[in-house]
């Protein structure tokens, strides 16, 4: 789109064709942003659902431990270990899903381009 716009702008392209190419570029940019936001939302949703169950299981496990364990560990350390480590896993899952979906879209685009041209 950008190549055609530049070619028509430097050549003898009409203003209406330049405006239509600019509008097409804006539509593609908005669709790209919507796709990016939806993939990020999906990745975060899946990661939070998965890690909330992990948090619940870790909490159950730590509540069943004997008092000797709880006397050795401080409350802040327990919160960091239960919530902080799982949050790192959540971030990993969110980025993993976004990268996988993005890679498949890129692959589909490349294959589609190769079949058309």
């Amino acid at each position: 789109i950008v190549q055609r716009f530049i070619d028509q702008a430097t050549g003898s392209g009409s203003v209406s064709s330049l405006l239509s190419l600019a509008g097409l570029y804006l539509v593609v940019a908005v669709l790209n942003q919507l796709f990016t936001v939806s993939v990020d939302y999906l990745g975060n949703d899946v990661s939070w659902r998965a890690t909330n169950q992990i948090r619940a299981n870790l909490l159950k496990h730590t509540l069943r431990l004997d008092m000797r364990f709880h006397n050795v560990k401080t409350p802040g350390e327990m919160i960091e270990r239960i919530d902080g480590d799982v949050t790192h896993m959540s971030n990993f899952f969110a980025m993993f899903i976004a990268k996988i979906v993005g890679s498949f879209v890129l692959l589909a685009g490349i294959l589609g381009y190769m079949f058309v041209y």
Side-chain angles (χ1 to χ4, degrees):
I1 297 172
V2 174
Q3 178 187 0
R4 287 185 183 173
F5 184 86
I6 292 172
D7 289 344
Q8 288 188 8
T10 57
S12 60
S14 65
V15 174
S16 63
S17 65
L18 291 174
L19 287 176
S20 65
L21 285 173
L24 180 64
Y25 181 81
L26 288 176
V27 167
V28 169
V30 167
L31 289 175
N32 183 30
Q33 288 297 320
L34 289 174
F35 180 74
T36 302
V37 167
S38 63
V39 166
D40 286 344
Y41 175 78
L42 175 69
N44 283 319
D45 185 50
V46 167
S47 68
W48 274 101
R49 287 178 191 265
T51 55
N52 280 342
Q53 186 62 40
I54 293 172
R55 280 185 185 89
N57 291 340
L58 279 172
L59 184 61
K60 284 180 194 175
H61 173 72
T62 54
L63 289 176
R64 291 183 181 143
L65 293 172
D66 59 347
M67 282 306 294
R68 184 174 49 120
F69 176 81
H70 289 286
N71 289 334
V72 172
K73 304 291 183 185
T74 63
E77 183 181 359
M78 293 297 296
I79 290 171
E80 176 59 31
R81 294 200 60 190
I82 291 173
D83 190 50
D85 293 345
V86 177
T87 300
H88 291 299
M89 288 176 56
S90 172
N91 293 338
F92 169 74
F93 288 145
M95 293 307 297
F96 179 75
I97 289 183
K99 295 228 183 239
I100 292 294
V101 170
S103 295
F104 279 122
V105 168
L106 178 64
L107 178 66
I110 290 171
L111 289 175
Y113 181 80
M114 295 301 284
F115 282 122
V116 169
Y117 294 103

